[in-house]
Coordinates of all heavy atoms in Angstrom, one line a residue:
V1 N 0.9 -1.2 0.0 CA 0.0 0.0 0.0 C 0.9 1.2 0.0 O 1.8 1.3 0.8 CB -0.9 0.0 1.2 CG1 -1.7 1.3 1.2 CG2 -1.8 -1.2 1.3
T2 N 0.6 2.2 -0.9 CA 1.3 3.4 -1.1 C 0.8 4.4 -0.1 O -0.3 4.8 -0.2 CB 1.3 3.9 -2.4 OG1 1.7 2.9 -3.3 CG2 2.2 5.1 -2.6
A3 N 1.7 4.8 0.9 CA 1.2 5.9 1.8 C 1.4 7.2 1.2 O 0.5 8.1 1.4 CB 2.1 5.8 3.1
D4 N 2.5 7.5 0.5 CA 2.7 8.8 -0.1 C 2.8 8.6 -1.6 O 3.5 7.9 -2.2 CB 4.1 9.3 0.4 CG 3.8 10.1 1.6 OD1 2.8 10.7 1.8 OD2 4.7 10.1 2.6
L5 N 1.9 9.4 -2.3 CA 1.9 9.4 -3.7 C 2.6 10.6 -4.3 O 2.6 11.7 -3.7 CB 0.5 9.5 -4.3 CG -0.4 8.3 -4.0 CD1 -1.8 8.6 -4.6 CD2 0.1 7.1 -4.7
A6 N 3.4 10.4 -5.4 CA 3.9 11.5 -6.1 C 2.8 12.0 -7.0 O 1.9 11.3 -7.3 CB 5.1 11.1 -6.9
C7 N 3.0 13.3 -7.4 CA 2.0 13.8 -8.4 C 1.8 13.0 -9.6 O 0.7 12.8 -10.1 CB 2.4 15.3 -8.7 SG 2.4 16.4 -7.3
R8 N 2.9 12.4 -10.1 CA 2.8 11.6 -11.3 C 2.0 10.4 -11.0 O 1.4 9.9 -11.9 CB 4.2 11.3 -11.9 CG 5.1 10.7 -10.8 CD 6.5 10.5 -11.3 NE 6.6 9.5 -12.3 CZ 7.8 9.1 -12.8 NH1 8.9 9.8 -12.5 NH2 7.8 8.1 -13.6
D9 N 2.1 9.9 -9.8 CA 1.3 8.7 -9.5 C -0.1 9.0 -9.4 O -1.0 8.3 -9.9 CB 1.8 8.1 -8.2 CG 3.2 7.6 -8.2 OD1 3.6 7.1 -9.2 OD2 3.9 7.8 -7.2
L10 N -0.4 10.2 -8.8 CA -1.8 10.6 -8.7 C -2.5 10.7 -10.1 O -3.6 10.4 -10.2 CB -1.9 11.9 -7.9 CG -3.3 12.3 -7.6 CD1 -3.5 12.7 -6.1 CD2 -3.8 13.4 -8.5
V11 N -1.7 11.3 -11.0 CA -2.3 11.5 -12.3 C -2.8 10.2 -12.9 O -3.8 10.1 -13.6 CB -1.2 12.1 -13.3 CG1 -1.7 12.0 -14.8 CG2 -1.0 13.5 -12.9
E12 N -2.1 9.1 -12.6 CA -2.5 7.8 -13.2 C -3.7 7.2 -12.4 O -4.5 6.5 -13.0 CB -1.3 6.8 -13.0 CG -0.1 7.2 -13.8 CD 0.9 6.1 -13.8 OE1 0.6 5.0 -13.6 OE2 2.1 6.5 -14.0
L13 N -3.9 7.7 -11.2 CA -5.0 7.2 -10.4 C -6.3 8.0 -10.5 O -7.3 7.6 -10.1 CB -4.6 7.0 -8.9 CG -3.4 6.1 -8.7 CD1 -3.0 6.1 -7.2 CD2 -3.8 4.7 -9.0
V14 N -6.2 9.2 -11.0 CA -7.3 10.1 -10.9 C -8.5 9.6 -11.6 O -9.6 9.7 -11.1 CB -6.9 11.5 -11.5 CG1 -8.1 12.3 -11.9 CG2 -6.1 12.3 -10.4
T15 N -8.3 9.1 -12.8 CA -9.5 8.7 -13.6 C -10.2 7.5 -12.9 O -11.4 7.4 -12.8 CB -9.1 8.3 -15.0 OG1 -8.0 7.4 -15.0 CG2 -8.9 9.5 -15.8
A16 N -9.4 6.6 -12.4 CA -9.9 5.4 -11.7 C -10.6 5.9 -10.4 O -11.6 5.4 -10.0 CB -8.8 4.4 -11.4
H17 N -10.0 6.9 -9.8 CA -10.6 7.4 -8.6 C -11.9 8.0 -8.9 O -12.9 7.8 -8.1 CB -9.6 8.5 -8.0 CG -10.2 9.2 -6.8 ND1 -10.5 8.6 -5.6 CD2 -10.5 10.5 -6.6 CE1 -11.0 9.5 -4.8 NE2 -10.9 10.6 -5.3
L18 N -12.1 8.8 -9.9 CA -13.3 9.4 -10.3 C -14.4 8.3 -10.7 O -15.6 8.5 -10.6 CB -13.1 10.4 -11.4 CG -12.3 11.6 -11.0 CD1 -12.1 12.5 -12.2 CD2 -13.1 12.4 -9.9
E19 N -13.9 7.2 -11.2 CA -14.8 6.1 -11.6 C -15.2 5.3 -10.4 O -16.0 4.3 -10.6 CB -14.1 5.3 -12.7 CG -14.0 6.1 -14.0 CD -13.0 5.3 -14.9 OE1 -12.5 4.3 -14.5 OE2 -12.8 5.8 -16.0
G20 N -14.6 5.6 -9.3 CA -14.8 4.7 -8.1 C -14.2 3.4 -8.2 O -14.7 2.4 -7.6
A21 N -13.2 3.2 -9.1 CA -12.6 2.0 -9.3 C -11.4 1.6 -8.5 O -10.8 0.6 -8.6 CB -12.2 1.9 -10.8
L22 N -11.0 2.6 -7.6 CA -9.8 2.4 -6.8 C -10.2 1.6 -5.6 O -11.2 1.8 -4.9 CB -9.2 3.7 -6.4 CG -8.3 4.4 -7.4 CD1 -7.8 5.7 -6.8 CD2 -7.2 3.6 -7.9
P23 N -9.3 0.7 -5.2 CA -9.4 0.0 -3.9 C -9.3 1.0 -2.7 O -8.7 2.1 -2.9 CB -8.2 -1.0 -3.9 CG -7.8 -1.1 -5.2 CD -8.1 0.2 -5.9
G24 N -9.9 0.7 -1.6 CA -9.9 1.6 -0.5 C -8.6 2.2 -0.1 O -8.5 3.4 0.0
P25 N -7.5 1.4 0.0 CA -6.2 2.0 0.4 C -5.7 3.0 -0.6 O -5.2 4.0 -0.3 CB -5.3 0.8 0.5 CG -6.3 -0.4 0.8 CD -7.5 0.0 0.0
D26 N -5.9 2.7 -1.9 CA -5.5 3.6 -3.0 C -6.3 4.9 -3.0 O -5.8 5.9 -3.2 CB -5.6 2.9 -4.3 CG -4.5 1.9 -4.5 OD1 -3.5 1.9 -3.8 OD2 -4.6 1.1 -5.5
A27 N -7.6 4.7 -2.8 CA -8.5 5.9 -2.7 C -8.1 6.8 -1.6 O -8.0 8.0 -1.7 CB -9.9 5.5 -2.6
A28 N -7.7 6.1 -0.4 CA -7.3 6.9 0.8 C -6.0 7.7 0.5 O -5.8 8.8 0.9 CB -7.1 5.9 2.0
A29 N -5.1 7.0 -0.3 CA -3.8 7.6 -0.6 C -4.0 8.8 -1.5 O -3.4 9.9 -1.4 CB -2.9 6.6 -1.3
V30 N -5.0 8.7 -2.5 CA -5.3 9.8 -3.3 C -5.9 11.0 -2.5 O -5.5 12.1 -2.7 CB -6.3 9.4 -4.4 CG1 -6.9 10.5 -5.2 CG2 -5.6 8.4 -5.4
Q31 N -6.8 10.6 -1.7 CA -7.4 11.7 -0.8 C -6.3 12.4 0.0 O -6.4 13.6 0.2 CB -8.5 11.0 0.1 CG -9.7 10.4 -0.6 CD -10.6 11.5 -1.2 OE1 -10.4 12.7 -1.1 NE2 -11.8 11.0 -1.7
A32 N -5.4 11.6 0.6 CA -4.4 12.2 1.4 C -3.5 13.1 0.6 O -3.1 14.2 1.1 CB -3.5 11.1 2.0
H33 N -3.2 12.7 -0.6 CA -2.3 13.5 -1.5 C -3.1 14.8 -1.9 O -2.5 15.9 -1.8 CB -1.9 12.8 -2.7 CG -1.0 13.6 -3.6 ND1 0.4 13.4 -3.6 CD2 -1.2 14.6 -4.5 CE1 0.9 14.3 -4.5 NE2 -0.1 15.0 -5.0
L34 N -4.4 14.7 -2.2 CA -5.1 15.9 -2.6 C -5.3 16.9 -1.5 O -5.2 18.1 -1.7 CB -6.5 15.4 -3.0 CG -6.6 14.6 -4.4 CD1 -8.0 14.1 -4.6 CD2 -6.1 15.5 -5.5
A35 N -5.3 16.3 -0.2 CA -5.4 17.2 0.9 C -4.2 18.1 1.1 O -4.3 19.2 1.7 CB -5.6 16.4 2.2
Q36 N -3.1 17.7 0.6 CA -1.8 18.5 0.8 C -1.3 19.0 -0.5 O -0.2 19.6 -0.5 CB -0.8 17.6 1.5 CG -0.3 16.4 0.7 CD 0.6 15.5 1.4 OE1 0.8 15.6 2.6 NE2 1.2 14.6 0.7
C37 N -1.9 18.8 -1.6 CA -1.4 19.2 -2.9 C -2.4 20.0 -3.7 O -3.2 19.4 -4.4 CB -0.8 18.0 -3.6 SG 0.1 18.5 -5.2
P38 N -2.3 21.3 -3.6 CA -3.3 22.2 -4.4 C -3.3 21.9 -5.8 O -4.3 22.0 -6.5 CB -2.9 23.6 -4.0 CG -2.2 23.5 -2.7 CD -1.5 22.1 -2.8
A39 N -2.1 21.7 -6.4 CA -1.9 21.5 -7.8 C -2.7 20.3 -8.3 O -3.4 20.3 -9.3 CB -0.4 21.3 -8.2
C40 N -2.7 19.2 -7.5 CA -3.4 18.0 -7.9 C -4.9 18.2 -7.7 O -5.7 17.6 -8.4 CB -2.8 16.8 -7.2 SG -1.3 16.2 -7.9
R41 N -5.2 19.0 -6.7 CA -6.7 19.3 -6.5 C -7.2 20.0 -7.7 O -8.3 19.7 -8.2 CB -6.9 20.1 -5.2 CG -6.6 19.4 -4.0 CD -6.9 20.1 -2.8 NE -8.4 20.4 -2.8 CZ -9.0 20.9 -1.7 NH1 -8.4 21.0 -0.5 NH2 -10.3 21.1 -1.7
R42 N -6.5 21.0 -8.2 CA -6.9 21.7 -9.4 C -6.9 20.7 -10.6 O -7.9 20.8 -11.4 CB -5.9 22.8 -9.8 CG -6.3 24.1 -9.1 CD -5.6 25.3 -9.5 NE -4.7 25.1 -10.7 CZ -4.1 26.2 -11.1 NH1 -4.2 27.4 -10.6 NH2 -3.2 26.0 -12.2
Y43 N -6.0 19.8 -10.7 CA -5.9 18.9 -11.8 C -7.1 17.9 -11.7 O -7.8 17.7 -12.7 CB -4.6 18.1 -11.7 CG -4.6 16.9 -12.6 CD1 -4.3 17.1 -14.0 CD2 -4.8 15.6 -12.1 CE1 -4.3 15.9 -14.8 CE2 -4.8 14.5 -13.0 CZ -4.6 14.7 -14.3 OH -4.5 13.6 -15.2
L44 N -7.4 17.4 -10.5 CA -8.6 16.6 -10.3 C -9.8 17.3 -10.7 O -10.7 16.7 -11.4 CB -8.6 16.1 -8.9 CG -9.9 15.4 -8.5 CD1 -9.9 14.0 -9.2 CD2 -10.0 15.1 -7.0
D45 N -9.9 18.6 -10.3 CA -11.1 19.3 -10.6 C -11.3 19.5 -12.1 O -12.4 19.4 -12.6 CB -11.0 20.7 -9.9 CG -12.4 21.4 -9.9 OD1 -13.3 20.8 -9.4 OD2 -12.5 22.6 -10.3
Q46 N -10.2 19.7 -12.9 CA -10.3 19.9 -14.3 C -10.8 18.6 -14.9 O -11.6 18.6 -15.8 CB -8.9 20.2 -14.8 CG -8.5 21.6 -14.5 CD -7.1 21.9 -15.1 OE1 -6.2 21.1 -15.0 NE2 -6.9 23.1 -15.7
V47 N -10.2 17.5 -14.5 CA -10.6 16.2 -15.1 C -12.1 15.9 -14.7 O -12.8 15.4 -15.5 CB -9.7 15.0 -14.5 CG1 -10.2 13.7 -15.1 CG2 -8.3 15.3 -15.0
R48 N -12.5 16.1 -13.5 CA -13.8 15.8 -13.1 C -14.8 16.7 -13.9 O -15.8 16.2 -14.3 CB -14.0 16.1 -11.6 CG -15.4 15.9 -11.1 CD -15.6 16.4 -9.7 NE -15.0 15.6 -8.7 CZ -14.3 16.0 -7.7 NH1 -14.1 17.3 -7.5 NH2 -13.8 15.2 -6.8
T49 N -14.5 18.0 -14.0 CA -15.3 18.8 -14.8 C -15.5 18.4 -16.2 O -16.6 18.3 -16.8 CB -14.8 20.3 -14.8 OG1 -14.8 20.7 -13.4 CG2 -15.7 21.2 -15.6
T50 N -14.4 18.0 -16.8 CA -14.4 17.5 -18.2 C -15.3 16.3 -18.3 O -16.1 16.2 -19.2 CB -13.0 17.2 -18.7 OG1 -12.2 18.3 -18.5 CG2 -13.0 16.7 -20.1
I51 N -15.1 15.3 -17.4 CA -15.9 14.2 -17.5 C -17.4 14.4 -17.2 O -18.3 13.9 -17.9 CB -15.5 13.1 -16.4 CG1 -14.1 12.6 -16.7 CG2 -16.4 12.0 -16.3 CD1 -13.4 11.7 -15.7
T52 N -17.7 15.4 -16.3 CA -19.1 15.7 -16.0 C -19.7 16.3 -17.3 O -20.9 16.0 -17.6 CB -19.1 16.7 -14.9 OG1 -18.6 16.1 -13.7 CG2 -20.5 17.1 -14.6
V53 N -19.0 17.2 -17.9 CA -19.6 18.0 -19.0 C -19.7 17.1 -20.3 O -20.7 17.1 -21.0 CB -18.7 19.2 -19.4 CG1 -19.2 19.9 -20.7 CG2 -18.8 20.2 -18.2
L54 N -18.6 16.3 -20.5 CA -18.6 15.5 -21.8 C -18.9 14.1 -21.6 O -19.1 13.4 -22.7 CB -17.2 15.7 -22.4 CG -16.7 17.2 -22.7 CD1 -15.3 17.1 -23.2 CD2 -17.7 17.8 -23.7
G55 N -19.0 13.6 -20.4 CA -19.3 12.3 -20.2 C -18.1 11.4 -20.3 O -18.1 10.1 -20.2
R56 N -17.0 12.0 -20.6 CA -15.7 11.2 -20.7 C -14.5 12.2 -20.7 O -14.7 13.4 -20.7 CB -15.7 10.5 -22.1 CG -15.7 11.4 -23.3 CD -15.8 10.7 -24.6 NE -15.9 11.6 -25.8 CZ -14.8 12.1 -26.4 NH1 -13.6 11.8 -26.0 NH2 -14.9 12.9 -27.4
V57 N -13.3 11.7 -20.7 CA -12.2 12.6 -20.7 C -11.8 13.0 -22.1 O -11.5 12.2 -22.9 CB -11.0 11.9 -20.0 CG1 -9.7 12.8 -20.1 CG2 -11.3 11.5 -18.6
D58 N -11.9 14.3 -22.3 CA -11.6 14.9 -23.6 C -10.3 15.6 -23.4 O -10.3 16.8 -23.0 CB -12.7 15.7 -24.2 CG -12.4 16.2 -25.6 OD1 -11.2 16.0 -26.1 OD2 -13.2 16.8 -26.2
V59 N -9.2 15.1 -23.8 CA -7.9 15.7 -23.5 C -7.7 16.9 -24.3 O -6.9 17.8 -24.0 CB -6.8 14.7 -23.7 CG1 -6.8 13.5 -22.8 CG2 -6.8 14.2 -25.1
Q60 N -8.5 17.1 -25.4 CA -8.3 18.3 -26.3 C -8.7 19.5 -25.5 O -8.2 20.6 -25.8 CB -9.2 18.2 -27.5 CG -8.9 16.9 -28.3 CD -7.5 16.9 -28.9 OE1 -6.9 17.9 -29.1 NE2 -6.9 15.7 -29.0
G61 N -9.6 19.4 -24.5 CA -10.1 20.5 -23.8 C -9.2 21.0 -22.6 O -9.5 22.0 -22.0
L62 N -8.1 20.2 -22.4 CA -7.3 20.5 -21.3 C -6.1 21.3 -21.6 O -5.6 21.3 -22.8 CB -6.9 19.2 -20.6 CG -8.0 18.3 -20.1 CD1 -7.5 17.0 -19.6 CD2 -8.7 19.0 -18.9
P63 N -5.5 22.0 -20.7 CA -4.3 22.7 -20.9 C -3.2 21.7 -21.4 O -3.2 20.6 -21.0 CB -3.9 23.3 -19.6 CG -5.2 23.4 -18.8 CD -6.0 22.3 -19.4
A64 N -2.2 22.3 -22.1 CA -1.2 21.5 -22.8 C -0.5 20.6 -21.8 O -0.2 19.4 -22.0 CB -0.2 22.3 -23.6
D65 N -0.1 21.2 -20.6 CA 0.7 20.4 -19.7 C -0.1 19.3 -19.0 O 0.3 18.2 -18.9 CB 1.3 21.3 -18.6 CG 0.2 22.1 -17.9 OD1 -0.8 22.4 -18.4 OD2 0.5 22.4 -16.7
V66 N -1.4 19.6 -18.7 CA -2.3 18.6 -18.2 C -2.5 17.5 -19.2 O -2.5 16.3 -18.9 CB -3.6 19.2 -17.8 CG1 -4.6 18.2 -17.3 CG2 -3.4 20.3 -16.6
R67 N -2.8 17.9 -20.4 CA -3.0 17.0 -21.5 C -1.8 16.0 -21.7 O -2.1 14.8 -21.8 CB -3.2 17.7 -22.8 CG -3.6 16.8 -23.9 CD -4.1 17.7 -25.1 NE -3.1 18.6 -25.6 CZ -3.3 19.8 -26.2 NH1 -4.6 20.1 -26.4 NH2 -2.4 20.5 -26.6
A68 N -0.6 16.5 -21.6 CA 0.5 15.7 -21.8 C 0.6 14.7 -20.7 O 0.9 13.5 -20.9 CB 1.8 16.6 -21.8
R69 N 0.3 15.1 -19.5 CA 0.3 14.2 -18.3 C -0.8 13.1 -18.5 O -0.6 11.9 -18.2 CB 0.2 14.9 -17.0 CG 1.4 15.6 -16.6 CD 1.4 16.0 -15.2 NE 0.4 17.1 -14.9 CZ 0.1 17.6 -13.7 NH1 0.7 17.0 -12.6 NH2 -0.8 18.5 -13.6
L70 N -2.0 13.5 -18.9 CA -3.0 12.6 -19.1 C -2.7 11.6 -20.2 O -2.9 10.4 -20.0 CB -4.3 13.4 -19.5 CG -5.3 13.6 -18.5 CD1 -6.5 14.4 -19.1 CD2 -5.8 12.4 -17.8
L71 N -2.2 12.0 -21.3 CA -1.9 11.1 -22.4 C -0.8 10.1 -21.9 O -1.0 8.9 -22.2 CB -1.3 11.9 -23.5 CG -2.4 12.7 -24.3 CD1 -1.8 13.6 -25.4 CD2 -3.5 11.8 -24.9
D72 N 0.1 10.6 -21.2 CA 1.1 9.7 -20.7 C 0.5 8.6 -19.7 O 0.8 7.4 -19.8 CB 2.2 10.5 -20.0 CG 3.3 9.6 -19.4 OD1 3.9 8.9 -20.3 OD2 3.6 9.5 -18.2
A73 N -0.4 9.1 -18.9 CA -1.1 8.2 -17.9 C -1.9 7.2 -18.7 O -1.9 6.0 -18.4 CB -1.8 9.0 -16.9
F74 N -2.6 7.6 -19.7 CA -3.5 6.8 -20.4 C -2.7 5.7 -21.2 O -3.0 4.6 -21.3 CB -4.4 7.6 -21.4 CG -5.5 8.3 -20.8 CD1 -6.3 9.2 -21.6 CD2 -5.8 8.2 -19.5 CE1 -7.3 9.9 -21.0 CE2 -6.8 8.9 -18.9 CZ -7.6 9.7 -19.6
A75 N -1.6 6.2 -21.8 CA -0.8 5.3 -22.6 C -0.3 4.2 -21.7 O -0.3 3.0 -22.1 CB 0.4 6.0 -23.2
R76 N 0.0 4.5 -20.5 CA 0.6 3.4 -19.6 C -0.6 2.6 -19.1 O -0.4 1.4 -18.9 CB 1.3 4.1 -18.4 CG 2.7 4.6 -18.9 CD 3.6 4.8 -17.8 NE 3.6 6.2 -17.3 CZ 4.2 6.6 -16.2 NH1 4.8 5.7 -15.4 NH2 4.1 7.8 -15.8
R77 N -1.7 3.2 -18.8 CA -2.8 2.5 -18.2 C -3.4 1.5 -19.1 O -3.7 0.4 -18.8 CB -3.9 3.5 -17.8 CG -5.0 2.8 -17.0 CD -6.0 3.9 -16.6 NE -7.2 3.3 -16.1 CZ -8.4 3.9 -15.9 NH1 -8.5 5.2 -16.2 NH2 -9.5 3.2 -15.6
H78 N -3.6 1.9 -20.4 CA -4.3 1.1 -21.3 C -3.3 0.1 -22.0 O -3.7 -0.9 -22.5 CB -5.0 1.9 -22.4 CG -6.2 2.6 -21.8 ND1 -7.3 2.0 -21.4 CD2 -6.3 4.0 -21.5 CE1 -8.2 2.9 -20.9 NE2 -7.6 4.1 -21.0
G79 N -2.1 0.6 -22.0 CA -1.0 -0.3 -22.6 C -1.2 -0.7 -24.0 O -0.8 -1.8 -24.5
R80 N -1.9 0.2 -24.8 CA -2.1 -0.2 -26.2 C -0.9 0.3 -27.0 O -0.2 1.2 -26.7 CB -3.3 0.5 -26.7 CG -4.6 -0.1 -26.2 CD -5.8 0.6 -26.8 NE -7.1 0.0 -26.3 CZ -8.3 0.6 -26.5 NH1 -8.3 1.6 -27.2 NH2 -9.3 0.1 -26.0
G81 N -0.7 -0.4 -28.1 CA 0.4 0.0 -29.0 C 0.9 -1.2 -29.8 O 0.4 -2.3 -29.5
A82 N 1.7 -0.9 -30.6 CA 2.2 -1.9 -31.5 C 3.1 -2.9 -30.7 O 3.2 -4.1 -31.2 CB 3.1 -1.3 -32.6
G83 N 3.6 -2.5 -29.6 CA 4.3 -3.4 -28.8 C 5.8 -3.4 -29.2 O 6.3 -4.3 -29.8
Ligands
ZN101 ZN1 0.3 16.5 -6.3

């Protein structure tokens, strides 16, 4: 169980967190990180708003730096590619 998350770790967990797909300990770690990291709270808010409005994550509507982090997280999470 990860007690301390880095911001890059949180980025990978945010979508699962919003989907309610995280196990309890991971969700708790995310909450703990958000409590002490305003940047990630803003990031989470952006992602949540995007999902709420569009029903899904539309990375085109996000700031470039956020989009880059999201794309990186998605690429690793979905693991799609030519291999
Ligand atoms: Zn953070």
Side-chain angles (χ1 to χ4, degrees):
V1 177
T2 306
D4 271 326
L5 291 177
C7 294
R8 54 188 284 183
D9 296 324
L10 185 133
V11 167
E12 296 187 28
L13 296 175
V14 157
T15 49
H17 176 61
L18 291 176
E19 292 165 0
L22 280 183
D26 285 348
V30 168
Q31 296 284 7
H33 183 99
L34 291 172
Q36 65 184 9
C37 187
C40 281
R41 291 187 61 165
R42 273 192 3 181
Y43 171 76
L44 173 68
D45 195 52
Q46 287 178 318
V47 176
R48 178 191 285 138
T49 299
T50 302
I51 293 174
T52 299
V53 172
L54 300 179
R56 62 187 178 87
V57 176
D58 183 355
V59 296
Q60 302 298 330
L62 297 173
D65 59 330
V66 175
R67 184 170 57 209
R69 284 196 290 176
L70 259 182
L71 288 174
D72 183 61
F74 285 175
R76 285 199 267 170
R77 184 178 168 199
H78 292 290
R80 288 185 185 169

